[in-house]
Amino acid sequence: MKFSIKRTAFIQRLTNVQRTIASKTTIPILTGIKLTLTNEKLILTGSDSDISIEAAIIKSDDNAQLEIEETGATVLPARFFSEIIKKLPGDTFSLNTFENQQTQILAGKSIFKVNGISAEEYPHLPEIEISQKITLAADLLKKVINQTVIAASNQESRPILTGVHLTIYQGQLTAVATDSHRLSQRKIPLDINDLNYDVIVPSRSLIELARMLPDSSEKVELRISENQMLCFFDQTVFYSRLLEGNYPDTAQLIPNNSETELEVNANDFLAAIDRASLLSHEGNYNIVKLTLDPKQQLAKIYGNSPEVGTINEVLNFESLTGKSLEISFNPDYMKDALHSFGQTTVKINFTQPLRPFTLTPSENQSNFIQLITPVRTF
Amino acid sequence: MGKKDIIARQPRLTAYFADLIQHKKLVHAYLLTGPAGSGKHELALWVAAGLFCQHPVKGQPCGKCGECQRIFSGNHPDVIDLLPAGNSIKVEQTRFLKSEFNSSGVESRQKIIIIENAEKMTASAANSLLKFIEEPSGQITVFLLVASLNQLLPTIVSRCQLFKMQLPSEEQRIQTYQQEGLNTLLAGLTVDIQTARQLADEKTVLELSKRLTQWFLKILNNEWLALVDVQVKFMPLITNKDEQNLFIQLLELFSKDLLRCAIGTKMVYFQDQALQFKQRLTKYSLTKQLTAVELLLNQPRLQQENINFQNLLEALTLQLIKCYHG
């Protein structure tokens, strides 16, 4: 393998890939970064076995000035390699691999020789047929991820709940996450009809993916294999392993009817909950109480800590209908849920004091739903 | 450790597993038992290689293709090899293990997890394992490697398929060790010729066994200096728990030899001084000889009870002298 390239362009790609590489790993080769040079592009690969990232620099990219002399592949120790590249003098450097995997890095008057490992030893990432792809906008995917991962569990006791359940059925993508106290579900229409998938993706992977996705409506491609999910965007391939097991059936958890409905501005309500939670965080029980009285058109929120004191606030709302109700819940779940709505009005549907209640955006009630389980109080 | 080697050492098990792989009948959990060096780990890797190999011959791995190479060099992402760090499987490793049980493989769905020294699993690790082996999900095969079954939770044992490693008999071992120019004493200590070579190189074992025989001769001669030997000869060489265990093992082997003497056959492990022992031991009644053996065999239990090792040996010396001469 022999090539020369502009350093800044290379470093940009390298940092993207390097975020996956863990310092501690059970598989020695994963401390390395794989370089593959084909006739058209240079591919950098990094992996911690859960997440793998491939970033390519194409020959036609003017910023990179990639000059390919001889194709090939090698694996270099990531920690040293990135430090070396960052500290090299000059704008460009060249890299040359010899037969015994020794790699020479040349820049200006400095020459590094690094011992590489055969690329054959590196994990083989799955290849998935290009026909089985799902295209959607990057910012939309990012939104779907950010709206659902908040509800995913971070407890190891039920590992399956640490993932987000993605189902693609009849041209619709449904993402659901729950930690058994709350649930978040987002649906988006897709422009394909013939693909059906049912997978569980670790929320950690999705959070990482959301961080990397561009903030534009640029198209990204999703492909799903039996053991990995792939996401293509901007000359980058993001691989995530899937979780094995059966995700609980969440459809039946979401109530269809409601007895009390409250419509509020998400931001205002968030601020009120935030104030109420100031005191509830102090006590042993992190709960706030919401009292709704449609007859008198009154909604009150009450937070209490036996040691510190209490808070009472009368809420502003858009509308309040149905039966009167008193319900207690964990304010942190409510805050996370409200955050995910952004600047909009939210419709909250209650059934009974001990039944879960739902939050939906007022204008579009079927695509996005958050569910929170109340707390029993005496 | 080459692949030929494991086939030669475990012909029955390798043939059995090759058959399973060929017919795709591997179950989700296997428990391999056998002392250190009996080839448990090699067998588990061999099975993994057989499963992933690109050119398997009747379920046996070729050992040459990329997959086999990666498995034997520990670089295959779907063959997970867990070795407890230190005395128990640590929290971090447990977490890793749990997540591995619940995620798909990196390259395909097929996965192999090998847990070495499985008896060192903490309760939480054992429970997460139990969860998996009760309701296996995905295509995962777990190999648990233990020295002895009794140290593992019975609930785990009952849910695994059990295999005992085939061990060469002691006579065979003594023969091969003699051919290799190794002391026969080592045949009693380990079944693995590599470990035996290592022990022979370290010399501690041989030196300890020499001092042990000298100490015992003193006891038989009713020399009270034997008591001083504990402090002067043994303790400098026994500085840590491993060496204590080694010494206890030597005592066990020695008691075997004493028994052999008592019934009039040749001593096997401590041949160097065999004649002197024979002459002296014949003077004592069989009951006395057996009592002495019993005293020796009592030591492992006492050591487990955390009695100071020097105290233990000194008490043993006094008891032995009393037994023979009292």
Side-chain angles (χ1 to χ4, degrees):
Chain A
M1 180 169 67
K2 197 172 179 189
F3 67 88
S4 71
I5 195 167
K6 209 157 177 194
R7 213 157 58 88
T8 45
F10 189 80
I11 289 174
Q12 195 198 343
R13 289 295 179 188
L14 186 64
T15 34
N16 266 346
V17 170
Q18 223 196 342
R19 63 203 303 164
T20 59
I21 297 170
S23 54
K24 262 191 197 167
T25 165
T26 47
I27 305 159
I29 193 129
L30 292 185
T31 56
I33 195 159
K34 184 177 157 196
L35 304 178
T36 317
L37 190 64
T38 66
N39 282 323
E40 300 91 40
K41 56 190 174 183
L42 172 68
I43 305 168
L44 308 177
T45 314
S47 171
D48 69 354
S49 87
D50 285 334
I51 302 172
S52 312
I53 297 176
E54 268 181 21
I57 302 169
I58 45 172
K59 203 178 172 183
S60 54
D61 185 352
D62 289 336
N63 286 329
Q65 293 174 4
L66 175 64
E67 307 233 348
I68 297 161
E69 283 186 50
E70 194 191 330
T71 60
T74 190
V75 178
L76 297 171
R79 200 159 58 89
F80 295 108
F81 183 60
S82 69
E83 285 299 307
I84 288 171
I85 299 297
K86 278 176 196 156
K87 289 182 177 160
L88 282 177
D91 286 344
T92 59
F93 72 91
S94 67
L95 191 143
N96 189 0
T97 307
F98 302 105
E99 255 172 38
N100 54 2
Q101 299 297 332
Q102 201 177 57
T103 301
Q104 194 181 52
I105 304 164
L106 262 166
K109 286 175 181 164
S110 129
I111 304 172
F112 274 97
K113 274 187 183 158
V114 182
N115 294 323
I117 314 167
S118 163
E120 286 291 304
E121 294 268 305
Y122 204 81
H124 307 305
L125 296 167
E127 285 162 22
I128 300 168
E129 271 185 65
I130 196 141
S131 64
Q132 311 214 317
K133 64 180 180 186
I134 301 146
T135 25
L136 65 169
D139 51 354
L140 182 61
L141 179 60
K142 200 169 187 165
K143 202 161 183 193
V144 171
I145 292 173
N146 288 336
Q147 284 173 336
T148 47
V149 289
I150 48 162
S153 161
N154 46 21
Q155 301 224 311
E156 292 158 26
S157 53
R158 290 186 70 187
I160 204 85
L161 295 186
T162 61
V164 175
H165 187 202
L166 299 179
T167 31
I168 292 164
Y169 184 64
Q170 293 184 339
Q172 180 170 262
L173 169 80
T174 312
V176 185
T178 177
D179 62 1
S180 77
H181 300 295
R182 55 175 157 174
L183 175 144
S184 174
Q185 174 181 291
R186 177 72 205 257
K187 289 180 180 170
I188 50 169
L190 298 170
D191 51 9
I192 45 133
N193 249 324
D194 51 341
L195 288 176
N196 294 323
Y197 289 109
D198 186 330
V199 292
I200 307 156
V201 189
S203 62
R204 193 179 78 88
S205 304
L206 289 176
I207 292 169
E208 195 64 39
L209 173 63
R211 260 186 225 149
M212 290 182 68
L213 284 171
D215 274 313
S216 63
S217 57
E218 192 184 320
K219 289 284 173 205
V220 299
E221 257 178 64
L222 284 183
R223 292 182 207 168
I224 294 166
S225 80
E226 55 169 12
N227 60 319
Q228 298 241 25
M229 184 189 83
L230 279 68
C231 184
F232 289 77
F233 55 93
D234 181 29
Q235 297 295 333
T236 305
V237 193
F238 182 98
Y239 295 79
S240 166
R241 277 209 276 178
L242 305 176
L243 291 176
E244 290 270 2
N246 296 320
Y247 204 82
D249 180 15
T250 50
Q252 59 185 18
L253 297 175
I254 299 165
N256 297 322
N257 56 335
S258 63
E259 312 237 316
T260 313
E261 298 92 28
L262 174 71
E263 243 183 304
V264 284
N265 178 294
N267 269 18
D268 294 348
F269 192 43
L270 177 61
I273 293 285
D274 208 9
R275 282 188 287 274
S277 68
L278 280 178
L279 295 185
S280 72
H281 278 166
E282 268 315 299
N284 293 331
Y285 313 102
N286 182 21
I287 49 171
V288 297
K289 194 162 74 185
L290 183 68
T291 317
L292 302 172
D293 189 349
K295 276 192 195 121
Q296 301 184 16
Q297 285 295 298
L298 194 68
K300 269 197 308 193
I301 194 151
Y302 171 75
N304 156 33
S305 154
E307 293 97 48
V308 189
T310 58
I311 169 182
N312 258 307
E313 181 169 334
V314 178
L315 292 172
N316 291 326
F317 52 85
E318 314 259 319
S319 76
L320 175 61
T321 53
K323 291 182 183 169
S324 65
L325 177 88
E326 203 177 84
I327 197 165
S328 302
F329 52 85
N330 182 329
D332 294 341
Y333 293 162
M334 182 60 96
K335 277 199 282 187
D336 285 342
L338 289 170
H339 262 300
S340 65
F341 286 102
Q343 185 65 265
T344 173
T345 48
V346 180
K347 188 159 186 224
I348 310 176
N349 289 325
F350 302 90
T351 50
Q352 282 163 29
L354 290 176
R355 303 288 304 155
F357 57 93
T358 58
L359 288 82
T360 46
S362 296
E363 64 266 35
N364 190 346
Q365 295 189 15
S366 60
N367 284 347
F368 184 34
I369 189 161
Q370 297 262 8
L371 178 131
I372 297 174
T373 316
V375 180
R376 183 196 293 266
T377 49
F378 300 99
Chain B
M1 200 70 53
K3 81 175 235 261
K4 285 263 159 51
D5 197 56
I6 188 72
I7 299 176
R9 282 164 67 197
Q10 302 291 343
R12 267 186 36 228
L13 287 180
T14 46
Y16 177 78
F17 275 112
D19 208 39
L20 285 183
I21 294 167
Q22 205 185 348
H23 296 101
K24 299 197 168 57
K25 289 256 168 70
L26 274 183
V27 299
H28 64 290
Y30 291 99
L31 186 56
L32 307 181
T33 63
S38 52
K40 293 176 301 231
H41 189 228
E42 288 84 357
L43 179 67
L45 279 183
W46 187 86
V47 175
L51 199 60
F52 285 101
C53 180
Q54 289 161 329
H55 320 284
V57 187
K58 289 186 180 161
Q60 299 195 359
C62 68
K64 292 183 194 86
C65 69
E67 300 280 328
C68 289
Q69 298 268 328
R70 287 194 299 154
I71 288 167
F72 290 121
S73 67
N75 274 333
H76 199 291
D78 293 336
V79 177
I80 289 138
D81 202 347
L82 198 79
L83 183 73
N87 255 337
S88 66
I89 294 186
K90 296 280 182 300
V91 181
E92 206 174 305
Q93 290 180 307
T94 312
R95 194 173 296 147
F96 171 70
L97 195 64
K98 272 188 190 173
S99 74
E100 283 300 333
F101 277 132
N102 286 289
S103 51
S104 62
V106 176
E107 297 183 6
S108 66
R109 287 192 69 196
Q110 183 65 57
K111 234 159 83 168
I112 295 235
I113 297 178
I114 302 168
I115 305 172
E116 291 180 59
N117 297 345
E119 74 274 6
K120 288 185 179 167
M121 275 189 294
T122 52
S124 112
N127 279 326
S128 74
L129 176 71
L130 205 56
K131 223 176 199 171
F132 166 75
I133 57 181
E134 276 172 353
E135 311 167 31
S137 63
Q139 294 172 25
I140 306 182
T141 297
V142 185
F143 280 93
L144 297 174
L145 316 182
V146 281
S148 92
L149 268 187
N150 320 337
Q151 292 161 302
L152 217 56
L153 281 179
T155 38
I156 289 184
V157 178
S158 70
R159 284 168 177 82
C160 298
Q161 225 179 71
L162 215 66
F163 286 98
K164 259 201 180 123
M165 300 303 283
Q166 236 173 312
L167 295 176
S169 70
E170 203 163 284
E171 282 84 49
Q172 285 172 345
R173 244 154 47 208
I174 290 172
Q175 242 176 27
T176 33
Y177 281 31
Q178 271 172 343
Q179 281 165 10
E180 292 277 326
L182 292 166
N183 196 314
T184 48
L185 175 66
L186 297 168
L189 287 175
T190 170
V191 291
D192 182 28
I193 197 141
Q194 303 278 355
T195 329
R197 282 206 194 94
Q198 217 179 338
L199 284 173
D201 286 344
E202 280 171 11
K203 298 219 169 61
T204 332
V205 182
L206 300 180
E207 186 58 36
L208 266 179
S209 74
K210 215 168 90 192
R211 290 184 185 183
L212 174 69
T213 48
Q214 286 165 354
W215 164 76
F216 208 78
L217 281 174
K218 281 181 193 156
I219 293 176
L220 290 179
N221 290 343
N222 202 3
E223 283 178 40
W224 286 85
L225 269 178
L227 188 64
V228 181
D229 267 12
V230 173
Q231 160 91 37
V232 182
K233 303 275 190 195
F234 292 151
M235 290 326 284
L237 287 180
I238 305 172
T239 50
N240 58 32
K241 200 99 190 169
D242 285 347
E243 283 161 354
Q244 286 182 12
N245 288 336
L246 188 71
F247 192 77
I248 291 286
Q249 267 185 302
L250 284 176
L251 280 182
E252 279 177 305
L253 293 181
F254 189 69
S255 56
K256 272 192 194 172
D257 264 5
L258 284 182
L259 269 180
R260 285 202 177 91
C261 245
I263 57 167
T265 50
K266 261 176 72 184
M267 288 176 93
V268 178
Y269 301 117
F270 298 85
Q271 288 169 336
D272 304 348
Q273 313 281 340
L275 255 177
Q276 297 191 40
F277 278 117
K278 197 133 211 174
Q279 284 172 359
R280 286 182 177 79
L281 282 170
T282 41
K283 286 192 285 186
Y284 302 106
S285 72
L286 196 61
T287 341
K288 272 189 178 175
Q289 291 191 37
L290 287 180
T291 322
V293 168
E294 226 164 83
L295 278 174
L296 287 171
L297 287 179
N298 212 4
Q299 301 312 305
R301 192 179 57 79
L302 292 176
Q303 190 220 4
Q304 289 288 318
E305 286 168 10
N306 281 329
I307 298 172
N308 177 298
F309 201 65
Q310 186 171 349
N311 286 353
L312 188 128
L313 291 184
E314 285 174 351
L316 175 67
T317 316
L318 293 176
Q319 283 166 339
L320 282 171
I321 291 179
K322 201 173 151 203
C323 161
Y324 283 118
H325 309 285

